[in-house]
Amino acid sequence: MTNDLINKYDLRVPRYTSYPTAPHFNEGVNGAVYKKWLSELPQGTPLSLYFHIPFCDEMCWFCGCYTKIVKRYDPVKEYLGALLAEIDLVADALPGRFSAKHLHWGGGSPTMLKGEDWLAIMTKLRDRFDVTDDAEVAVELDPRTATEDYVRELQLAGVNRASIGVQSYEPKVQEAINRIQPYETTKQVIEWLRAHDITRINMDLMYGLPFQDTAEIERMVDLTVDLQPNRIALFGYAHVPWMKSHQKLIKEETLPDAAERWKQFTLAVERLKALGYVQIGFDHFAHPDDSMANAVETGELHRNFQGYTTDSAPAMLGFGASAIGYLPQGYVQNEQPLKAYSQAIYSGVLPAARGIELSADDKLRRDIIERIMCDLTVDLADVCKAHDFEVSTLTDDVAKLAPLSADGICTVDDTRITVSEDGRPFVRLVASAFDAYLGSGQGRHSKAV
Ligand code: SF4
């Protein structure tokens, strides 16, 4: 696979952490619709819960998340009050008591929360939901602000997985992205986490950042593997200053070009595999002992807003400003402005602002896209049968794969589509053939590589 293919195809396609993707959500899904959907949830449906903490104390210039910089704790504390009230509103709308097996805290920086507030919110959650004994409680952790006492408080709150953003270990790169985080800091925090029984460690690495080169990427991978995380995500920096104005602080002339990005990506992938990690999809890696590596073998890998996951819950409830969740009926996203979010809650209304109700066609395509993204192969006949559709429904979509097939990116064998090993970096492109919304609406996406 060469640079030619990178140049040939328009790789600005969605990451498919949902289908339909968020740009196609509409305002028809509001608090009243969400309340009705919650009330219809069958008893016994296992839940996942996602919490968004949209605060950080300093802006990293590469950041693509929805977050707000705060220098005082008061706004965080106020937000927490609204979050606790939202938990009550949602639990009241459910037709009974439900169990939760996966809890995920993202942001922003969830570790802006003080230890006492972790305890308050986990107590509230256990009061309103049956958090199972084996529940995974995952937190995105900023190592720059963590102390051993703080890690102990996370342990007391029940946290058992931590995701650590690393980006790069090179001081010049760190300076160019306004995130100074020495390797020793990351290493120390991981030691504290393990010492306090938070033994499931994810690390997020980046390529395509200013001043990065292949030598630095190789060193970054080696140092990361020395720390033996259970999972590693490898993200390409998406430079979208028209959407994220703080990215204008990154000088474009310091960014690697497409050919160099490709070299960095392929080097990192080959190095991670050579050092024993199992490639998941195209940008995630799991230690061979990790449950995610096992899920690949058994076809039980899934994809949601956190990327690849072993979480198979049919419903994820999103809490907090801008949080997205899903129910069997469709996707729901909360109000993004903090004021609108808390105003809705304190008026006793669920703060849902947008979403999409899934049609039968959406559900069919969602399953096809998820299997391609997770398994790199799908039998269209099987999925059509499960959804009561004729395979002929997809004739036009399959025809779109002809050029990809001619270039060795995938094969089409009767009703089975398979992404080739060399075609892995293009898996989003293969999945996009089944996206009925692509090209409509306002989606503008980052490059696949
Ligand atoms: S800590 Fe994370 S969420 Fe906050 S600005 Fe940095 S990258 Fe973005």
Side-chain angles (χ1 to χ4, degrees):
M1 205 61 56
T2 66
N3 272 326
D4 298 347
L5 294 183
I6 300 284
N7 295 328
K8 177 173 175 180
Y9 291 105
D10 181 2
L11 296 174
R12 292 179 197 276
V13 285
R15 301 186 66 79
Y16 293 115
T17 52
S18 72
Y19 179 82
T21 54
H24 301 286
F25 291 0
N26 61 67
E27 292 176 3
V29 179
N30 54 24
V33 171
Y34 185 30
K35 190 172 179 184
K36 179 171 177 293
W37 287 0
L38 286 169
S39 74
E40 293 167 354
L41 202 61
Q43 287 280 353
T45 305
L47 299 181
S48 286
L49 309 179
Y50 172 76
F51 304 88
H52 193 76
I53 306 295
F55 299 104
C56 295
D57 51 15
E58 201 179 0
M59 182 58 85
C60 311
W61 295 341
F62 66 90
C63 181
C65 301
Y66 166 58
T67 191
K68 189 175 162 61
I69 304 306
V70 287
K71 295 293 175 197
R72 295 174 304 118
Y73 195 63
D74 298 7
V76 182
K77 191 80 183 170
E78 275 169 34
Y79 180 78
L80 192 65
L83 200 62
L84 291 169
E86 188 188 4
I87 292 170
D88 278 331
L89 277 179
V90 170
D92 287 346
L94 288 166
R97 198 173 163 85
F98 282 68
S99 64
K101 241 187 120 128
H102 277 83
L103 284 71
H104 187 106
W105 297 78
S109 296
T111 45
M112 289 277 294
L113 294 183
K114 290 187 173 165
E116 70 218 36
D117 289 328
W118 275 109
L119 283 180
I121 203 153
M122 289 304 293
T123 302
K124 165 67 81 180
L125 284 170
R126 292 198 164 94
D127 184 34
R128 300 306 313 256
F129 294 92
D130 290 326
V131 178
T132 59
D133 289 343
D134 61 347
E136 177 167 288
V137 183
V139 169
E140 293 170 14
L141 181 147
D142 187 342
R144 296 171 302 168
T145 53
T147 61
E148 185 166 13
D149 281 347
Y150 192 78
V151 168
R152 191 177 294 116
E153 285 171 324
L154 291 178
Q155 179 194 19
L156 284 176
V159 171
N160 51 30
R161 180 181 291 280
S163 290
I164 298 178
V166 161
Q167 294 83 44
S168 161
Y169 298 119
E170 185 59 48
K172 189 175 178 186
V173 178
Q174 293 186 357
E175 204 176 309
I177 58 174
N178 198 39
R179 183 169 172 126
I180 307 300
Q181 182 183 320
Y183 176 71
E184 290 66 31
T185 302
T186 304
K187 185 167 184 265
Q188 174 66 85
V189 169
I190 289 175
E191 284 168 7
W192 287 333
L193 288 164
R194 289 189 170 130
H196 292 282
D197 278 343
I198 304 176
T199 54
R200 303 174 209 178
I201 308 289
N202 294 16
M203 291 177 75
D204 295 345
L205 308 180
M206 289 188 91
Y207 65 91
L209 288 170
F211 300 114
Q212 271 186 318
D213 58 25
T214 45
E216 199 260 317
I217 295 287
E218 185 169 348
R219 185 170 161 268
M220 176 174 76
V221 169
D222 288 1
L223 286 171
T224 300
V225 170
D226 281 351
L227 299 173
Q228 286 289 289
N230 306 70
R231 297 175 187 172
I232 298 171
L234 175 67
F235 296 119
Y237 167 57
H239 192 60
V240 286
W242 59 89
M243 285 166 67
K244 299 282 170 187
S245 58
H246 55 264
Q247 290 186 350
K248 290 180 187 147
L249 295 164
I250 291 182
K251 295 189 180 71
E252 295 209 5
E253 62 273 20
T254 64
L255 292 171
D257 62 16
E260 174 62 22
R261 278 173 69 95
W262 174 246
K263 270 195 232 160
Q264 293 178 8
F265 170 74
T266 48
L267 178 104
V269 170
E270 292 314 317
R271 191 95 190 133
L272 282 164
K273 289 198 304 192
L275 293 171
Y277 279 78
V278 176
Q279 190 172 10
I280 311 286
F282 89 102
D283 58 1
H284 281 52
F285 300 83
H287 194 278
D289 297 340
D290 187 79
S291 57
M292 191 172 272
N294 190 43
V296 173
E297 293 296 316
T298 57
E300 291 170 305
L301 188 66
H302 294 279
R303 194 149 170 89
N304 67 16
F305 292 101
Q306 279 82 57
Y308 288 104
T309 176
T310 53
D311 178 8
S312 60
M316 171 184 276
L317 309 184
F319 296 87
S322 81
I324 304 181
Y326 50 83
L327 290 165
Q329 301 95 325
Y331 293 97
V332 183
Q333 181 167 27
N334 275 351
E335 292 279 8
Q336 181 161 310
L338 295 177
K339 201 166 166 199
Y341 165 73
S342 53
Q343 264 175 359
I345 290 170
Y346 290 126
S347 323
V349 176
L350 289 166
R354 51 207 288 273
I356 191 164
E357 181 166 10
L358 296 174
S359 66
D361 185 72
D362 291 337
K363 290 178 186 173
L364 169 76
R365 290 170 187 277
R366 182 178 62 166
D367 277 4
I368 291 170
I369 287 173
E370 186 179 44
R371 286 338 320 147
I372 293 173
M373 293 295 292
C374 293
D375 302 341
L376 304 166
T377 185
V378 65
D379 190 328
L380 299 177
D382 288 351
V383 185
C384 282
K385 191 171 170 202
H387 287 265
D388 209 11
F389 271 82
E390 296 295 329
V391 188
S392 57
T393 314
L394 301 167
T395 303
D396 290 348
D397 307 283
V398 174
K400 289 185 218 155
L401 294 172
L404 300 177
S405 173
D407 282 327
I409 290 172
C410 66
T411 57
V412 181
D413 183 5
D414 193 14
T415 57
R416 178 161 290 279
I417 314 292
T418 303
V419 180
S420 69
E421 194 51 38
D422 281 349
R424 265 183 196 262
F426 300 88
V427 62
R428 286 160 61 177
L429 207 55
V430 177
S432 73
F434 298 92
D435 182 346
Y437 295 81
L438 200 66
S440 67
Q442 359 128 349
R444 191 173 173 185
H445 305 281
S446 62
K447 282 191 173 178
V449 179

